[in-house]
Amino acid sequence: MNDEMTYWLLGRLDWQALPFLRAWNHPALSELIAAAAGGLVVLGALAVAVLLTVYRGWGPLWRDWLTSLDHKKIGIMYIVIAGIMLARAVVEAALIRLQQALAVNDAGIVTAEHFGELFSTHGTIMIFFMAMPFLTGVINYVMPLQIGARDMSFPWMNAISLMLTAAGAGLVMISLVVGKFSTGGWTGYPPYTGIEFSPGVGVDYWIWAVTLSSLGSTLTGINFATTLYKNRAPGMELFRLPLFCWTALCTSILMIFAMVPLTVATLMLALDRYAGFHFFTAGSGGNMMNYANLFWLFGHPEVYILILPAFGIYSEVIATFSGKTLYGYRSLVYATMVIAVLSFTVWLHHFFTMGQGANLNAVFGVATMAIGVPTGVKVYDWLLTMYRGRIRLTTGMLFSVAFLVTFVIGGLTGVILANPPVDFAVHNSLFLVAHFHNMLIPGLLFGMIAGVQFWFPKAFGFRLDERWGKAAFWCWFGGFYLAFMPLYALGLMGAMRRSSQWFEPQYVPYLLTALAGAALILAGLACLFIQLWVSVRNRDRLAAPLGDPWDGRGLEWSVSSPPPEYNFAMLPQVRSHDDFWEAKQDGRAYREPKRYEDIEMPRNSATAPLIGLAAAAFGFAITWQIWWLVALSFTGIWVIVIVRSFQQDIARVIPAREVAAKERAWLAEVESARPVDRFAETTRQNRGLAEVSP
Amino acid sequence: MSHSNRLHGGLNLGQAHAETHRQAETMVFGFWIFLMSDLVLFAVILATYADASVHGLADGPGPAELFELRNPFIETLLLLASSVTFGMAALHLKYQDDRRGLVLWMLATGALGLVFVAMEGWDFYSLVVHDDAPPQRSGFLSVFFLLVGMHGLHVIAATVWMLVLLIQIGRFGLMPDVKLRILRLSIFWHMLDVVWVAIFTFVYLSGVAR
């Protein structure tokens, strides 16, 4: 086969793309680590395939999960993606800390290029393939239940969003086995990421993975917003929405407006690289500062896309485990809205040093500090919700309290950074790295973990083990402080981010402390997985199928656990904020509907996973320039969409009889169960029926 | 919210019951939200164009040297006319339930769209071949081709969509789903018109005036 033929068939692919071969040829430590990582991906995929075959899981996986349009299953699948990607990115973080701790006047364990890949994948994954799927999954699962809806407004589009995100995540995983990932950081700034300085496939992997996931998120935003505006149960006025739904609404509005600039930026970068355009090149009229503007026009609202849903989760968790209604509900709603609006006015603070002049910097600095005000309002509201409450310190609550303390510290360093003159001094240093980890770990990850602890019994019908949960909490909490407080000091001492080597011996104690913190965080992650394992094994002892394990307040607790496919046998009639809580007080809860009706639900569809598959093929093919596959997969996606639009039989009717039988069985179980005092909710007695408290 | 103002103004779904109307409302609302994010796309590229058309010329030709108004003006008339023909189609859809008129007006719209795309293609061709101004020449030309090309791609996509809908009218008749799709395509088509007006104003008119 001649070279031209090979290029036509396989594009840029060759044997050197495999890390195993590179490690065989140059068995340096850095290459061995890369080969081990690639091997882990291959072995993991093989293990899953073998297990699925042994336990005959392929059929159920396809029928019950991948083709499902049920928002609850889609939500769970999002969270599974987030969990897998979280594990990879935390391991990478530990490697980054290890390298920096060892590389004082030394080469360390990985080469500079490999180190670049490590921090690029770590950031890209944490933002696009951990945080985004995680919050999208939680909103997907919880929001329709909270507003009294049976599904999203656009269930099929929901599945497509999931599959596009999965395709992007798949590309990042494949880059471990075939080729190399970008070394341009999660922001991918040109001209470094331009073809001149990064000719390999790495940046292309980054471009297409991020593009697929950002398209998915745009569709998700449209879906969430439409659902929240149009699918609420009768009586569910906007100001009766649980606060989590308000934060979901603000997040989805931000997604609608902010994801597009990112898609534009990555596509322009792609045109620069593939077709010789000059959007961001150093010469020929290109302007890389436009990239910084476009990227952060997305990037700053993105910060609030990430943080707001966590704020919503904390509001639910704190109110529930304090046994009080949320303090200052309206002020929290307004604060959330103000934050969402302000988030579009501060993007420039990411590049104060780019040279746009002092006055402009001052305006954006002031706007940045202004965001502290509504956030402060929220912190006080949460504190006052706890004040004089009967607080139960469950795992979810512990994460929430830790968030309050830690987030305020991160906010303070944010206000410091909002000062342009200060920012000039610490720009791109580890001080900045410490700051944004100080916002995002408590402000996103702790929230998502708290949300999982809180809603897991709703989704699966049994609680999570508290002992391992608390162990995980202390590891994460302590690990965070150990890992990131030293970075503030290092930043002030002049340590720049993304450095693979140091020449300052006085950094050593700080770097070693941070390394210990990373180890503790790794232990925390392990505890979470062990918690899941232990809880599944003890699921009979932890069972809470009746639906209300925490003496909950919102509509999601008013149905069985797990909820039936259609969520509500009869759409609820909402009378107030905290409707289910008040229903329990008034004795309105657990009443049988007067009549049952047939319920129409969307039928499963193979089209969404097929589109995801085609999208992944597209991303892989265009990265490696396999042009026939690019054309085939791109056409394939649109052919599938068109074919789907011709399908008539897309709904399935669940007969009233079936609904009635299920509902009556559950209500009979509730009738015969013994309610549990809320201080005994972590004991075996808790079957999911709460004692009505005075 | 009372029942009547939840119905969508642009459509008559016939004897369909309330649930169909509720679904129609949700569907069209979601589509408007999609249009908002699509408009952000054009806004962002237009903003980049505003910068690149001044600072991104490099050694290449600028707007004043490259653009003339004759073709863009004819293209504008074509697109505006296509909006009128689609409006006629929508009237047939709403008031007359007249499949033949609807199809004819949609065909006219699609034809106008195709002529528009063909003319635009010719403009691109002459820029690249006759004026030696391909997108690779300067930052300004890169953004110009991206902006106008992105609009052109939208028109092509809308035309394909129209073709699919014509087949569906033939196959399924005017059932509510098909009616809703026609309604959404018409909103999309009008939006592309609005975007073109912006492009004509800020790219061609002010480019020549400079």
Side-chain angles (χ1 to χ4, degrees):
Chain A
M1 229 167 29
N2 59 27
D3 284 352
E4 211 169 299
M5 183 83 167
T6 319
Y7 180 76
W8 194 89
L9 260 182
L10 296 173
R12 290 192 279 178
L13 264 178
D14 68 20
W15 291 110
Q16 285 304 315
L18 295 175
F20 316 113
L21 214 72
R22 291 200 302 267
W24 184 261
N25 291 339
H26 313 277
L29 186 55
S30 194
E31 294 290 358
L32 289 173
I33 291 174
L40 216 58
V41 174
V42 175
L43 284 181
L46 274 180
V48 171
V50 168
L51 285 176
L52 280 173
T53 313
V54 170
Y55 291 101
R56 297 174 187 282
W58 288 104
L61 177 71
W62 180 257
R63 279 191 307 274
D64 299 340
W65 291 92
L66 296 180
T67 57
S68 173
L69 304 190
D70 183 341
H71 73 95
K72 300 186 282 300
K73 289 184 172 164
I74 290 175
I76 291 168
M77 285 189 276
Y78 264 118
I79 296 171
V80 169
I81 295 177
I84 295 170
M85 300 311 275
L86 172 70
R88 175 177 163 189
V90 168
V91 171
E92 284 171 344
L95 271 177
I96 292 172
R97 290 266 59 85
L98 187 62
Q99 164 72 13
Q100 289 199 332
L102 296 178
V104 183
N105 286 324
D106 191 89
I109 52 168
V110 292
T111 60
E113 195 204 352
H114 194 175
F115 187 74
E117 283 187 73
L118 279 174
F119 66 68
S120 303
T121 41
H122 169 76
T124 306
I125 289 175
M126 281 300 194
I127 299 291
F128 295 106
F129 301 108
M130 188 286 286
M132 291 296 271
F134 214 147
L135 68 94
T136 310
V138 175
I139 296 176
N140 238 308
Y141 194 95
V142 174
M143 182 266 282
L145 283 165
Q146 283 195 330
I147 64 173
R150 292 208 167 114
D151 208 327
M152 289 287 173
S153 287
F154 307 113
W156 184 59
M157 195 165 88
N158 201 16
I160 291 179
S161 303
L162 166 72
M163 293 301 168
L164 289 179
T165 308
L171 274 187
V172 181
M173 290 313 257
I174 289 172
S175 77
L176 270 183
V177 186
V178 189
K180 290 180 170 184
F181 200 73
S182 167
T183 52
W186 82 277
T187 49
Y189 269 22
Y192 176 71
T193 50
I195 197 75
E196 198 183 336
F197 302 105
S198 302
V201 293
V203 177
D204 301 322
Y205 264 127
W206 179 82
I207 287 176
W208 299 109
V210 167
T211 304
L212 288 178
S213 96
S214 67
L215 287 173
S217 297
T218 310
L219 298 180
T220 297
I222 295 171
N223 215 340
F224 285 168
T226 312
T227 308
L228 277 158
Y229 278 122
K230 295 292 177 188
N231 263 17
R232 280 169 284 131
M236 182 59 95
E237 293 159 9
L238 282 175
F239 272 105
R240 287 177 185 169
L241 282 176
L243 203 86
F244 179 68
C245 291
W246 273 107
T247 57
L249 180 62
C250 289
T251 284
S252 56
I253 293 172
L254 293 181
M255 283 179 178
I256 292 161
F257 289 111
M259 298 313 296
V260 182
L262 174 68
T263 315
V264 173
T266 51
L267 287 181
M268 286 162 99
L269 187 59
L271 282 171
D272 271 6
R273 289 176 59 83
Y274 285 83
F277 281 42
H278 292 289
F279 297 116
F280 311 127
T281 52
S284 302
N287 184 352
M288 50 270 220
M289 295 200 282
N290 277 342
Y291 182 89
N293 273 295
L294 287 174
F295 185 86
W296 291 110
L297 206 52
F298 143 79
H300 202 85
E302 168 73 7
V303 172
Y304 294 93
I305 292 176
L306 300 179
I307 283 179
L308 288 179
F311 283 177
I313 292 173
Y314 293 129
S315 304
E316 305 290 319
V317 169
I318 290 176
T320 304
F321 290 114
S322 304
K324 280 175 67 185
T325 192
L326 199 57
Y327 181 89
Y329 170 77
R330 272 178 186 259
S331 65
L332 275 165
V333 171
Y334 289 128
T336 307
M337 278 290 174
V338 168
I339 290 175
V341 172
L342 283 180
S343 75
F344 281 104
T345 65
V346 298
W347 80 89
L348 201 129
H349 70 214
H350 294 271
F351 43 88
F352 276 147
T353 52
M354 205 167 73
Q356 50 270 327
N359 288 341
L360 201 57
N361 276 356
V363 170
F364 279 85
V366 171
T368 304
M369 290 181 210
I371 290 195
V373 177
T375 316
V377 169
K378 290 184 160 217
V379 170
Y380 282 108
D381 280 334
W382 290 317
L383 290 177
L384 289 166
T385 304
M386 285 192 279
Y387 180 65
R388 288 194 165 176
R390 296 169 68 189
I391 295 172
R392 295 105 74 197
L393 281 177
T394 54
T395 308
M397 191 64 178
L398 283 174
F399 272 105
S400 306
V401 176
F403 150 77
L404 280 176
V405 180
T406 316
F407 195 75
V408 169
I409 298 173
L412 284 174
T413 60
V415 174
I416 294 171
L417 279 170
N419 243 316
V422 179
D423 183 81
F424 267 69
V426 289
H427 181 80
N428 256 358
S429 72
L430 287 185
F431 189 89
L432 170 81
V433 173
H435 161 70
F436 69 72
H437 283 86
N438 198 346
M439 302 315 273
L440 285 176
I441 291 180
L444 173 106
L445 194 58
F446 283 10
M448 294 303 140
I449 297 174
V452 168
Q453 307 289 327
F454 187 53
W455 282 305
F456 186 92
K458 176 47 60 187
F460 294 99
F462 57 95
R463 289 175 289 112
L464 283 169
D465 184 88
E466 279 290 316
R467 209 139 45 107
W468 281 103
K470 283 181 180 153
F473 165 74
W474 289 110
C475 289
W476 276 102
F477 184 56
F480 168 78
Y481 279 92
L482 276 180
F484 291 100
M485 291 301 139
L487 297 199
Y488 279 121
L490 281 169
L492 292 177
M493 290 159 77
M496 299 311 279
R497 73 194 290 202
R498 296 175 178 170
S499 304
S500 63
Q501 252 181 303
W502 314 106
F503 302 98
E504 312 281 340
Q506 66 268 36
Y507 290 174
V508 171
Y510 297 94
L511 288 167
L512 286 177
T513 315
L515 178 63
L520 208 51
I521 287 179
L522 210 53
L525 183 72
C527 286
L528 283 179
F529 285 118
I530 295 171
Q531 181 197 34
L532 189 63
W533 175 255
V534 168
S535 312
V536 172
R537 291 195 57 161
N538 297 338
R539 58 188 176 278
D540 291 334
R541 209 141 41 82
L542 295 165
L546 303 182
D548 182 24
W550 314 124
D551 197 8
R553 314 182 76 84
L555 288 177
E556 77 267 34
W557 305 109
S558 71
V559 293
S560 64
S561 292
E565 185 193 346
Y566 42 81
N567 292 353
F568 299 94
M570 190 75 193
L571 285 188
Q573 180 73 45
V574 178
R575 298 193 197 169
S576 64
H577 177 65
D578 281 349
D579 192 68
F580 181 58
W581 169 269
E582 298 201 356
K584 284 187 283 187
Q585 304 286 323
D586 309 346
R588 279 188 288 127
Y590 304 113
R591 282 217 191 124
E592 198 182 343
K594 289 197 186 66
R595 60 193 171 78
Y596 294 94
E597 52 192 31
D598 293 349
I599 296 173
E600 207 182 81
M601 295 302 292
R603 204 186 274 282
N604 283 10
S605 171
T607 48
L610 289 179
I611 286 174
L613 211 58
F618 174 82
F620 184 79
I622 199 165
T623 298
W624 290 95
Q625 304 183 354
I626 310 169
W627 297 113
W628 63 269
L629 188 55
V630 172
L632 186 71
S633 50
F634 185 80
T635 321
I637 291 172
W638 290 105
V639 167
I640 297 169
V641 170
I642 291 171
V643 166
R644 162 84 182 180
S645 77
F646 278 86
Q647 281 178 358
Q648 290 290 296
D649 191 21
I650 55 171
R652 185 170 75 88
V653 172
I654 302 171
R657 234 174 336 100
E658 210 177 291
V659 178
K662 236 185 188 160
E663 187 78 359
R664 284 186 188 129
W666 170 62
L667 285 173
E669 237 186 299
V670 169
E671 195 64 42
S672 62
R674 205 162 54 83
V676 62
D677 179 82
R678 61 189 163 185
F679 283 95
E681 68 197 352
T682 53
T683 65
R684 199 175 174 165
Q685 277 84 46
N686 187 358
R687 301 280 299 165
L689 183 65
E691 203 170 70
V692 177
S693 40
Chain B
M1 215 185 279
S2 73
H3 179 67
S4 63
N5 60 15
R6 296 187 70 147
L7 303 185
H8 197 273
L11 205 56
N12 174 9
L13 292 176
Q15 296 299 319
H17 52 72
E19 182 57 20
T20 314
H21 273 292
R22 204 191 61 75
Q23 284 169 2
E25 164 73 16
T26 304
M27 191 69 88
V28 177
F29 181 82
F31 195 71
W32 277 107
I33 295 184
F34 160 72
L35 290 188
M36 293 204 304
S37 87
D38 210 27
L39 280 174
V40 174
L41 170 81
F42 285 107
V44 165
I45 303 178
L46 258 174
T48 317
Y49 181 83
D51 167 59
S53 61
V54 180
H55 303 295
L57 301 184
D59 300 325
E65 296 150 68
L66 282 181
F67 301 150
E68 42 87 33
L69 282 184
R70 195 182 61 116
N71 279 7
F73 181 66
I74 298 173
E75 285 158 26
T76 309
L77 291 183
L78 284 170
L79 263 198
L80 289 180
S82 78
S83 256
V84 175
T85 51
F86 214 145
M88 294 305 290
L91 288 179
H92 278 264
L93 179 68
K94 183 173 181 188
Y95 292 111
Q96 280 149 336
D97 221 359
D98 158 18
R99 214 196 293 187
R100 198 168 147 265
L102 170 70
V103 168
L104 284 177
W105 282 116
M106 278 175 72
L107 282 174
T109 312
L112 286 167
L114 282 180
V115 178
F116 169 85
V117 171
M119 274 193 81
E120 199 167 65
W122 173 253
D123 285 351
F124 280 9
Y125 176 79
S126 45
L127 271 179
V128 173
V129 175
H130 301 306
D131 301 329
D132 189 25
Q136 287 84 355
R137 177 114 184 243
S138 69
F140 152 66
L141 283 163
S142 294
V143 186
F144 167 79
F145 275 92
L146 177 70
L147 175 61
V148 182
M150 184 64 83
H151 177 267
L153 277 179
H154 273 69
V155 177
I156 292 173
T159 318
V160 174
W161 186 3
M162 188 175 295
L163 193 69
V164 173
L165 286 188
L166 285 170
I167 298 171
Q168 293 192 343
I169 294 173
R171 180 139 173 215
F172 303 124
L174 287 175
M175 62 174 196
D177 273 352
V178 175
K179 281 186 176 177
L180 266 174
R181 285 173 193 156
I182 299 172
L183 177 73
R184 276 175 285 159
L185 175 60
S186 77
I187 303 171
F188 187 63
W189 197 274
H190 297 314
M191 183 210 71
L192 290 182
D193 235 20
V194 173
V195 171
W196 179 260
V197 170
I199 291 176
F200 185 66
T201 312
F202 293 111
V203 174
Y204 292 108
L205 278 183
S206 37
V208 171
R210 215 173 276 160

